[in-house]
Amino acid sequence: ALNMGTSVTIQTGNDGTEYTITVTDAISKTLDNAATLTLLATGGITVNNAITSTSNELYMVFNADVDNDGGIFTLGKRSSHCI
């Protein structure tokens, strides 16, 4: 979906439980269409693999505390950051 320029949102449940989103596999956008990847968690978000775009923009929105009672955003030890 990201390759086609379709934005993707992954959101945890919101029933009072602290749910975590964990990215374990690489995410790669390779086609020339801008898109947004949004991760919304009531608990934490952990990124343990690469999220890349080799063509056009990949906007990323990570909110590790959508219920406003504390959340943790963690980048794994294999992370590199280009801004």
Side-chain angles (χ1 to χ4, degrees):
L2 291 172
N3 273 336
M4 303 309 291
T6 302
S7 293
V8 173
T9 299
I10 299 171
Q11 183 171 0
T12 65
N14 194 7
D15 61 3
T17 303
E18 296 297 306
Y19 294 104
T20 298
I21 295 172
T22 303
V23 177
T24 56
D25 295 327
I27 297 172
S28 180
K29 188 184 86 56
T30 59
L31 296 180
D32 193 27
N33 297 301
T36 301
L37 172 64
T38 303
L39 304 179
L40 305 171
T42 52
I45 296 173
T46 301
V47 178
N48 287 329
N49 216 321
I51 300 175
T52 62
S53 177
T54 58
S55 184
N56 213 324
E57 292 88 5
L58 175 59
Y59 303 102
M60 295 179 282
V61 177
F62 300 150
N63 185 342
D65 184 26
V66 295
D67 59 356
N68 296 316
D69 68 352
I72 297 172
F73 177 73
T74 305
L75 291 174
K77 52 187 161 184
R78 293 184 291 170
S79 300
S80 63
H81 317 294
C82 278
I83 298 176

